[in-house]
Amino acid sequence: MSEKLQVAVAGIGRMGMRHARHFATLTPRAELIAVCSPVQAELNAAAKEFPGVRTYTDYDLMLSEEETLQAVVVASATTVHAEQAIKAIELGLHVLCEKPISTSPEISQSVVNAYKTSLESHPLQKVICGFSRRFDASYRDAHNRMVTGSIGKPSVFRSQTCDKLDPSGFFVAYAEFSGGIFVDCSIHDIDLALWFFGEDSKIKSVTAVGITAVQPDLRKHNDRDNALGIIEFYGGKIAQLYCSRMMAAGQEDCTEIFGTEGKIAINTQPQLNLVNLYEPSGIRREIPADYYGRFREAFITEANEFTACCLDNTPAPLQLESAVKAVAIGCALQESLITGKKIEFDESGRRVEGSKL
Amino acid sequence: MSEKLQVAVAGIGRMGMRHARHFATLTPRAELIAVCSPVQAELNAAAKEFPGVRTYTDYDLMLSEEETLQAVVVASATTVHAEQAIKAIELGLHVLCEKPISTSPEISQSVVNAYKTSLESHPLQKVICGFSRRFDASYRDAHNRMVTGSIGKPSVFRSQTCDKLDPSGFFVAYAEFSGGIFVDCSIHDIDLALWFFGEDSKIKSVTAVGITAVQPDLRKHNDRDNALGIIEFYGGKIAQLYCSRMMAAGQEDCTEIFGTEGKIAINTQPQLNLVNLYEPSGIRREIPADYYGRFREAFITEANEFTACCLDNTPAPLQLESAVKAVAIGCALQESLITGKKIEFDESGRRVEGSKL
Amino acid sequence: MSEKLQVAVAGIGRMGMRHARHFATLTPRAELIAVCSPVQAELNAAAKEFPGVRTYTDYDLMLSEEETLQAVVVASATTVHAEQAIKAIELGLHVLCEKPISTSPEISQSVVNAYKTSLESHPLQKVICGFSRRFDASYRDAHNRMVTGSIGKPSVFRSQTCDKLDPSGFFVAYAEFSGGIFVDCSIHDIDLALWFFGEDSKIKSVTAVGITAVQPDLRKHNDRDNALGIIEFYGGKIAQLYCSRMMAAGQEDCTEIFGTEGKIAINTQPQLNLVNLYEPSGIRREIPADYYGRFREAFITEANEFTACCLDNTPAPLQLESAVKAVAIGCALQESLITGKKIEFDESGRRVEGSKL
Amino acid sequence: MSEKLQVAVAGIGRMGMRHARHFATLTPRAELIAVCSPVQAELNAAAKEFPGVRTYTDYDLMLSEEETLQAVVVASATTVHAEQAIKAIELGLHVLCEKPISTSPEISQSVVNAYKTSLESHPLQKVICGFSRRFDASYRDAHNRMVTGSIGKPSVFRSQTCDKLDPSGFFVAYAEFSGGIFVDCSIHDIDLALWFFGEDSKIKSVTAVGITAVQPDLRKHNDRDNALGIIEFYGGKIAQLYCSRMMAAGQEDCTEIFGTEGKIAINTQPQLNLVNLYEPSGIRREIPADYYGRFREAFITEANEFTACCLDNTPAPLQLESAVKAVAIGCALQESLITGKKIEFDESGRRVEGSKL
């Protein structure tokens, strides 16, 4: 085994701390050496949990001080993902950037551009966007089966990312910067659609509708708590999306890929574990309360595979360009959700005039 | 028990014969007395299976000759549903008309109008459209639970009617007169949406996309073999539909109703029966091959409840007006499927200009 | 269709009334003409539900008065099953006798003997014991698959009949005459074991243990509320039984047949219908509250097939001799349950001395 | 974080290598420093996979040479478990011994005795037997629920350990030293019964039967390929076991605990992951091929918790005495399986005379 990858995590809120843990204790080939956050309380918590790991309130300072640093995990607020990623890229560091790269396709593209430029001088550099589902054992099993032809030609895709109802109002505040429910939640489903249909799939149109069934205040941020979307791709492929913040039982993320000769369903019968409870009211099982409950193992695999590709200079497990495409589709869906208009694209990817705002 | 309802079945193709059987042997309070069909072979088969039942090649002749006739089941080709239903209605007969009443909303409305007129002189007359799912024990259980508040306010609806792949080309020929996949298949899901959201729900918009993944010849009849649709209703309710002719495993009809406090799922884990097979390739279960395999019991309940409401003059189990609304929505979806346009409606139900063809 | 089978039901308690309904309204080829019960209130209820059906307090009188009677359903208390069955048999009537024929193997055999004698003068006579699971669609599917070789040689059998907890004390009173939990409940599982392993299977040993977890008063009738049993058959076949009166969620009857090349499981995931409820506490489904909720369709099939074999003189759907064997095995298990002794049999079916009480 | 626990693995066959991997790369607080095996090829494989880890053909030599050694994982052949464990114990080392400690209750007890003696001079020493299911998230969830009263008083227990059919003949050779199917497989279920019923449960009787359905050669080692057992405990608790080497689909390990107020079922619907395949033959899912596929995460948790209790001197996650009791019950079941006799125990744990061989 080679030396351990020296990793820093930028942003150690809830998800950032999880990344820090994964790299500190569950990724044998990596070593967590530093974390940064503008929030001192978060740094204190990290210092306590990870003795010896250096803490910074300033991202730039961390980059300049940590001379052995090889890789940065960007898990800060979405609004600074791109800026932090680009800074690390320009230093030749490997980057694992949380999704979405940005809520703007243009800014997302700028990260790709920075990477392309940097690759010229740092040909071994790896930059990926953390689409955790790509690392999930069930999604991988499904993808492998599809690739080996078990369902014929994949033609229809259905996927949903549905969060448990959080009556605290968290999602209203969150919506101000999240980019909207299609960019925040459905980005995963869009990424999966691209993965299953082919990352070179050309988008033909998007349409979306939505409501605020439980949190009307979302409207002030042009967001909704339940939304339905349809994506058409050139070449006879269509996708149906549902995103929600209203689930009672827990996280309900599931996907179906319908092919000309069969279907693969992932997590259409969600469950917390292998326990069933037989009670006077019937048979009951619990389901994960949030996406981390569902995808924890995938995040750990992500940390390990990212580490391995950096250390071994093997191909990255996913392509950064695809993440930009996912943002662009998510933004188009979000726009359609708000304007009520169907948005069409020609085969070169340009929006058709009549469908513009 | 009162006298038995005297029933005739018009159209004794596959589904008509099933109706005939249900009334002849599985509806204790009904008696099948006559059947008609333009196809002599069908009449021969019926004569053999139902000794004593009179057979007719001519519908009008049957109506005039059968003096004791009380009720007609219209199970003929969709193209003559309305005409046959109106003739029976005008004679004061009870009518159970297979879905859809017609592939045209206007013609469907004409049946409602005929019924309204006839009711003035035949106040006990019952006319229903056979939306079999309304009689299914699971859908009824779901509806009862929703009505009693177990999921809060129903807000999002997902439903699909997906047929097993039939490589014979049957569906291509069938598409010429079926009204299209949204009118033929999704009509059930639309009816369920109206049932769960309220039959007075006002439609706001429809959008649809589709492909021909397995039967490109459907395009010559302006049809598709897979289609996705979204329906918006005024008042913050949205519905997502999927219809298909491409399922590998069998009939996949399922529905989910998402409320503000919970969700009800119907048949999201389809199965033929209670058997699971443990084989070297894993655990396997079969699913019904067609809608009749899934809904046979519902059809029998339909026959019995239709009979009971006719004999006892109790309220019909469903309202004819709703069936017209379902056809109108199905036709709008089918139009959107072909034109690629989103179709919008104002609160009075009129199409918004810009959305017209 | 031929004339309708003229049927009387003896005993119209809860299950008897269900039989009466099945024959009166759900068996097109049968006609319910009479019922008898020593309980006048039951007769009144029947008279109201089945106008025109004659009622009797005396079984013998019914047999003598009903000159057109062709078949008797014996659904009275278990203690009079055999006596009533024999009386009907001796008159040449067809008989459908509820399980068990008797709680005594000897008395059960006497019914078979009476039938054999009667057959000499009434060669078309049909007498069956109502093992309802033999008529269940899932069990039949399982049996068909096994017979056609899909699991290799069936070798291990697991089956359970587990009733919902009834805190009313009903089962304590019931235990006085039920023959015990193995004769009352497991008789079905034993019959299934014989059906799946072959009705000519030779019993080698039985062992049983049990407890009174919720109803200690059962001990005064030498009964238990939970019991486990093992049956060994000659030829390398073994069976595991569980019977209980303590289930929280409802009726839990399931069966597994393990063959050398596969396994078939029946109802190992019990459910009331196709509805799943997503609630803050998780995903929930209900299950049938009692055996009738699980097997109603099977009872109706039983009524129709019994009727058909009587009218058409086709082979009976199950053999009476097998029912005697099931009682004998059930009694041996019950004896082992109480004595704590393993009971062994030689290949001729005789008990091995050392294992006697 | 404190210093890392210095660990050696004795025996690096299939399961030993897995333990080595868990400690080397998936247990952050442990460091694998040495392995031993009499098989040079195994040592070569380990040397390649774990650079820097020292390899030994001789267990004693390893113990004497590895001066920093703190803990030994005994994963060698069952026949040397006890001997190797005792040697490590006597040196004051922590020990994680694979199950069973021995196929003899007396030898198993000698390990406990050695541990008790050693504790006097090494009060911080931890010795556990690796019952992996105790570390499984689903079993733990079930146990927690039971402990907090969600099913009332646990009264009936059903559990099975059923291996996938291995036509290679492996299990025949293996049976020579395995102690038999009840000691090798059901030991887990017995341990679970003790865990769920209370480790102080007093055994009252055992009975077992078995067959050789697929591997008749097992008889030469007094073993069977399918066996059923019943365990009675004093105090009104009973358990039903099934062990098999004949499953077609894969590993089928499941458990049910029936309480007076509810039931908990673990893995009664086995699955490999969250994928369902919809194919022309129905809906299919795969299941784990072996116990490691089912319990891998539990083994990793075991490694981490064993490490933590050694480093932090916290209570061991399970008690060694219980493992001796499990072996004693397993041996009694195996004896009953072969002799055909029920074996009874008095409340002091002594065998009742009449039940002896």
Side-chain angles (χ1 to χ4, degrees), chain B residues 198-219:
Chain B
E199 296 187 359
D200 57 347
S201 298
K202 289 179 184 170
I203 188 168
K204 190 175 174 193
S205 77
V206 301
T207 329
V209 303
I211 56 175
T212 48
V214 284
Q215 309 210 297
D217 286 352
L218 284 169
R219 290 184 176 265

PDB file of all heavy atoms in Angstrom, chain B residues 198-219:
ATOM      1  N   GLY B 198     -61.028  14.424  -5.680  1.00  0.00           N
ATOM      2  CA  GLY B 198     -62.370  15.000  -5.672  1.00  0.00           C
ATOM      3  C   GLY B 198     -62.856  15.152  -7.097  1.00  0.00           C
ATOM      4  O   GLY B 198     -62.149  15.704  -7.945  1.00  0.00           O
ATOM      5  N   GLU B 199     -64.077  14.680  -7.373  1.00  0.00           N
ATOM      6  CA  GLU B 199     -64.553  14.698  -8.751  1.00  0.00           C
ATOM      7  C   GLU B 199     -64.827  16.111  -9.236  1.00  0.00           C
ATOM      8  O   GLU B 199     -64.998  16.347 -10.423  1.00  0.00           O
ATOM      9  CB  GLU B 199     -65.787  13.793  -8.876  1.00  0.00           C
ATOM     10  CG  GLU B 199     -65.373  12.350  -8.587  1.00  0.00           C
ATOM     11  CD  GLU B 199     -66.461  11.329  -8.828  1.00  0.00           C
ATOM     12  OE1 GLU B 199     -67.574  11.717  -9.202  1.00  0.00           O
ATOM     13  OE2 GLU B 199     -66.169  10.132  -8.633  1.00  0.00           O
ATOM     14  N   ASP B 200     -64.853  17.073  -8.300  1.00  0.00           N
ATOM     15  CA  ASP B 200     -65.047  18.466  -8.691  1.00  0.00           C
ATOM     16  C   ASP B 200     -63.721  19.188  -8.925  1.00  0.00           C
ATOM     17  O   ASP B 200     -63.694  20.398  -9.107  1.00  0.00           O
ATOM     18  CB  ASP B 200     -65.849  19.196  -7.612  1.00  0.00           C
ATOM     19  CG  ASP B 200     -65.156  19.111  -6.256  1.00  0.00           C
ATOM     20  OD1 ASP B 200     -64.210  18.293  -6.113  1.00  0.00           O
ATOM     21  OD2 ASP B 200     -65.549  19.844  -5.335  1.00  0.00           O
ATOM     22  N   SER B 201     -62.617  18.447  -8.926  1.00  0.00           N
ATOM     23  CA  SER B 201     -61.306  19.065  -9.157  1.00  0.00           C
ATOM     24  C   SER B 201     -61.293  19.762 -10.514  1.00  0.00           C
ATOM     25  O   SER B 201     -61.798  19.227 -11.505  1.00  0.00           O
ATOM     26  CB  SER B 201     -60.209  17.994  -9.119  1.00  0.00           C
ATOM     27  OG  SER B 201     -60.159  17.392  -7.851  1.00  0.00           O
ATOM     28  N   LYS B 202     -60.674  20.931 -10.535  1.00  0.00           N
ATOM     29  CA  LYS B 202     -60.626  21.702 -11.782  1.00  0.00           C
ATOM     30  C   LYS B 202     -59.243  21.601 -12.398  1.00  0.00           C
ATOM     31  O   LYS B 202     -58.245  21.951 -11.772  1.00  0.00           O
ATOM     32  CB  LYS B 202     -60.949  23.161 -11.502  1.00  0.00           C
ATOM     33  CG  LYS B 202     -62.396  23.397 -11.145  1.00  0.00           C
ATOM     34  CD  LYS B 202     -62.635  24.873 -10.864  1.00  0.00           C
ATOM     35  CE  LYS B 202     -64.070  25.095 -10.412  1.00  0.00           C
ATOM     36  NZ  LYS B 202     -64.254  26.468  -9.910  1.00  0.00           N
ATOM     37  N   ILE B 203     -59.207  21.183 -13.637  1.00  0.00           N
ATOM     38  CA  ILE B 203     -57.933  20.983 -14.298  1.00  0.00           C
ATOM     39  C   ILE B 203     -57.300  22.318 -14.681  1.00  0.00           C
ATOM     40  O   ILE B 203     -57.980  23.224 -15.158  1.00  0.00           O
ATOM     41  CB  ILE B 203     -58.118  20.072 -15.525  1.00  0.00           C
ATOM     42  CG1 ILE B 203     -56.756  19.707 -16.099  1.00  0.00           C
ATOM     43  CG2 ILE B 203     -58.996  20.728 -16.567  1.00  0.00           C
ATOM     44  CD1 ILE B 203     -56.859  18.597 -17.115  1.00  0.00           C
ATOM     45  N   LYS B 204     -56.000  22.427 -14.493  1.00  0.00           N
ATOM     46  CA  LYS B 204     -55.278  23.669 -14.790  1.00  0.00           C
ATOM     47  C   LYS B 204     -54.392  23.510 -16.021  1.00  0.00           C
ATOM     48  O   LYS B 204     -54.311  24.395 -16.843  1.00  0.00           O
ATOM     49  CB  LYS B 204     -54.414  24.035 -13.577  1.00  0.00           C
ATOM     50  CG  LYS B 204     -53.789  25.404 -13.649  1.00  0.00           C
ATOM     51  CD  LYS B 204     -53.051  25.709 -12.341  1.00  0.00           C
ATOM     52  CE  LYS B 204     -52.274  27.013 -12.427  1.00  0.00           C
ATOM     53  NZ  LYS B 204     -51.334  27.138 -11.287  1.00  0.00           N
ATOM     54  N   SER B 205     -53.730  22.359 -16.117  1.00  0.00           N
ATOM     55  CA  SER B 205     -52.898  22.130 -17.302  1.00  0.00           C
ATOM     56  C   SER B 205     -52.585  20.654 -17.456  1.00  0.00           C
ATOM     57  O   SER B 205     -52.668  19.882 -16.485  1.00  0.00           O
ATOM     58  CB  SER B 205     -51.574  22.909 -17.217  1.00  0.00           C
ATOM     59  OG  SER B 205     -50.677  22.251 -16.346  1.00  0.00           O
ATOM     60  N   VAL B 206     -52.244  20.284 -18.668  1.00  0.00           N
ATOM     61  CA  VAL B 206     -51.705  18.945 -18.929  1.00  0.00           C
ATOM     62  C   VAL B 206     -50.489  19.082 -19.843  1.00  0.00           C
ATOM     63  O   VAL B 206     -50.421  19.986 -20.677  1.00  0.00           O
ATOM     64  CB  VAL B 206     -52.722  17.984 -19.596  1.00  0.00           C
ATOM     65  CG1 VAL B 206     -53.957  17.795 -18.735  1.00  0.00           C
ATOM     66  CG2 VAL B 206     -53.091  18.458 -20.986  1.00  0.00           C
ATOM     67  N   THR B 207     -49.546  18.188 -19.638  1.00  0.00           N
ATOM     68  CA  THR B 207     -48.379  18.092 -20.521  1.00  0.00           C
ATOM     69  C   THR B 207     -48.062  16.617 -20.681  1.00  0.00           C
ATOM     70  O   THR B 207     -48.237  15.845 -19.733  1.00  0.00           O
ATOM     71  CB  THR B 207     -47.113  18.712 -19.897  1.00  0.00           C
ATOM     72  OG1 THR B 207     -47.471  19.765 -19.051  1.00  0.00           O
ATOM     73  CG2 THR B 207     -46.146  19.153 -20.962  1.00  0.00           C
ATOM     74  N   ALA B 208     -47.572  16.247 -21.837  1.00  0.00           N
ATOM     75  CA  ALA B 208     -47.225  14.840 -22.041  1.00  0.00           C
ATOM     76  C   ALA B 208     -46.094  14.707 -23.046  1.00  0.00           C
ATOM     77  O   ALA B 208     -45.904  15.565 -23.906  1.00  0.00           O
ATOM     78  CB  ALA B 208     -48.441  14.059 -22.520  1.00  0.00           C
ATOM     79  N   VAL B 209     -45.323  13.653 -22.878  1.00  0.00           N
ATOM     80  CA  VAL B 209     -44.310  13.276 -23.868  1.00  0.00           C
ATOM     81  C   VAL B 209     -44.388  11.763 -24.047  1.00  0.00           C
ATOM     82  O   VAL B 209     -44.929  11.062 -23.192  1.00  0.00           O
ATOM     83  CB  VAL B 209     -42.878  13.655 -23.431  1.00  0.00           C
ATOM     84  CG1 VAL B 209     -42.759  15.150 -23.142  1.00  0.00           C
ATOM     85  CG2 VAL B 209     -42.447  12.845 -22.215  1.00  0.00           C
ATOM     86  N   GLY B 210     -43.848  11.306 -25.167  1.00  0.00           N
ATOM     87  CA  GLY B 210     -43.901   9.863 -25.378  1.00  0.00           C
ATOM     88  C   GLY B 210     -42.907   9.389 -26.409  1.00  0.00           C
ATOM     89  O   GLY B 210     -42.285  10.191 -27.108  1.00  0.00           O
ATOM     90  N   ILE B 211     -42.769   8.102 -26.476  1.00  0.00           N
ATOM     91  CA  ILE B 211     -41.842   7.480 -27.422  1.00  0.00           C
ATOM     92  C   ILE B 211     -42.468   6.216 -28.004  1.00  0.00           C
ATOM     93  O   ILE B 211     -43.479   5.721 -27.496  1.00  0.00           O
ATOM     94  CB  ILE B 211     -40.500   7.090 -26.737  1.00  0.00           C
ATOM     95  CG1 ILE B 211     -40.761   6.163 -25.543  1.00  0.00           C
ATOM     96  CG2 ILE B 211     -39.738   8.337 -26.298  1.00  0.00           C
ATOM     97  CD1 ILE B 211     -39.499   5.618 -24.872  1.00  0.00           C
ATOM     98  N   THR B 212     -41.868   5.727 -29.057  1.00  0.00           N
ATOM     99  CA  THR B 212     -42.224   4.389 -29.545  1.00  0.00           C
ATOM    100  C   THR B 212     -40.966   3.531 -29.436  1.00  0.00           C
ATOM    101  O   THR B 212     -40.151   3.480 -30.350  1.00  0.00           O
ATOM    102  CB  THR B 212     -42.731   4.412 -31.002  1.00  0.00           C
ATOM    103  OG1 THR B 212     -41.818   5.175 -31.779  1.00  0.00           O
ATOM    104  CG2 THR B 212     -44.119   5.015 -31.094  1.00  0.00           C
ATOM    105  N   ALA B 213     -40.848   2.896 -28.302  1.00  0.00           N
ATOM    106  CA  ALA B 213     -39.627   2.116 -28.041  1.00  0.00           C
ATOM    107  C   ALA B 213     -39.685   0.735 -28.655  1.00  0.00           C
ATOM    108  O   ALA B 213     -38.667   0.180 -29.051  1.00  0.00           O
ATOM    109  CB  ALA B 213     -39.403   1.995 -26.535  1.00  0.00           C
ATOM    110  N   VAL B 214     -40.874   0.160 -28.719  1.00  0.00           N
ATOM    111  CA  VAL B 214     -40.979  -1.213 -29.231  1.00  0.00           C
ATOM    112  C   VAL B 214     -41.882  -1.343 -30.448  1.00  0.00           C
ATOM    113  O   VAL B 214     -41.798  -2.320 -31.178  1.00  0.00           O
ATOM    114  CB  VAL B 214     -41.466  -2.190 -28.125  1.00  0.00           C
ATOM    115  CG1 VAL B 214     -40.342  -2.494 -27.148  1.00  0.00           C
ATOM    116  CG2 VAL B 214     -42.691  -1.659 -27.390  1.00  0.00           C
ATOM    117  N   GLN B 215     -42.770  -0.345 -30.686  1.00  0.00           N
ATOM    118  CA  GLN B 215     -43.697  -0.485 -31.807  1.00  0.00           C
ATOM    119  C   GLN B 215     -43.790   0.814 -32.591  1.00  0.00           C
ATOM    120  O   GLN B 215     -44.774   1.560 -32.500  1.00  0.00           O
ATOM    121  CB  GLN B 215     -45.078  -0.900 -31.285  1.00  0.00           C
ATOM    122  CG  GLN B 215     -44.953  -2.113 -30.363  1.00  0.00           C
ATOM    123  CD  GLN B 215     -46.149  -3.003 -30.363  1.00  0.00           C
ATOM    124  OE1 GLN B 215     -47.238  -2.602 -29.976  1.00  0.00           O
ATOM    125  NE2 GLN B 215     -45.951  -4.236 -30.798  1.00  0.00           N
ATOM    126  N   PRO B 216     -42.772   1.069 -33.404  1.00  0.00           N
ATOM    127  CA  PRO B 216     -42.753   2.339 -34.147  1.00  0.00           C
ATOM    128  C   PRO B 216     -43.977   2.539 -35.027  1.00  0.00           C
ATOM    129  O   PRO B 216     -44.349   3.678 -35.315  1.00  0.00           O
ATOM    130  CB  PRO B 216     -41.453   2.259 -34.970  1.00  0.00           C
ATOM    131  CG  PRO B 216     -40.989   0.844 -34.871  1.00  0.00           C
ATOM    132  CD  PRO B 216     -41.577   0.255 -33.643  1.00  0.00           C
ATOM    133  N   ASP B 217     -44.636   1.450 -35.422  1.00  0.00           N
ATOM    134  CA  ASP B 217     -45.805   1.603 -36.296  1.00  0.00           C
ATOM    135  C   ASP B 217     -46.966   2.310 -35.616  1.00  0.00           C
ATOM    136  O   ASP B 217     -47.915   2.743 -36.283  1.00  0.00           O
ATOM    137  CB  ASP B 217     -46.278   0.232 -36.796  1.00  0.00           C
ATOM    138  CG  ASP B 217     -45.340  -0.325 -37.857  1.00  0.00           C
ATOM    139  OD1 ASP B 217     -44.442   0.419 -38.289  1.00  0.00           O
ATOM    140  OD2 ASP B 217     -45.511  -1.489 -38.235  1.00  0.00           O
ATOM    141  N   LEU B 218     -46.911   2.422 -34.305  1.00  0.00           N
ATOM    142  CA  LEU B 218     -47.967   3.157 -33.608  1.00  0.00           C
ATOM    143  C   LEU B 218     -48.047   4.603 -34.086  1.00  0.00           C
ATOM    144  O   LEU B 218     -49.099   5.244 -34.000  1.00  0.00           O
ATOM    145  CB  LEU B 218     -47.704   3.138 -32.098  1.00  0.00           C
ATOM    146  CG  LEU B 218     -48.027   1.832 -31.386  1.00  0.00           C
ATOM    147  CD1 LEU B 218     -47.467   1.860 -29.973  1.00  0.00           C
ATOM    148  CD2 LEU B 218     -49.528   1.585 -31.360  1.00  0.00           C
ATOM    149  N   ARG B 219     -46.937   5.115 -34.597  1.00  0.00           N
ATOM    150  CA  ARG B 219     -46.925   6.518 -35.015  1.00  0.00           C
ATOM    151  C   ARG B 219     -47.898   6.806 -36.139  1.00  0.00           C
ATOM    152  O   ARG B 219     -48.412   7.910 -36.264  1.00  0.00           O
ATOM    153  CB  ARG B 219     -45.506   6.928 -35.424  1.00  0.00           C
ATOM    154  CG  ARG B 219     -44.587   6.997 -34.219  1.00  0.00           C
ATOM    155  CD  ARG B 219     -43.189   7.488 -34.517  1.00  0.00           C
ATOM    156  NE  ARG B 219     -42.476   7.584 -33.242  1.00  0.00           N
ATOM    157  CZ  ARG B 219     -42.367   8.691 -32.518  1.00  0.00           C
ATOM    158  NH1 ARG B 219     -42.895   9.815 -32.968  1.00  0.00           N
ATOM    159  NH2 ARG B 219     -41.738   8.685 -31.359  1.00  0.00           N
TER     160      ARG B 219
END
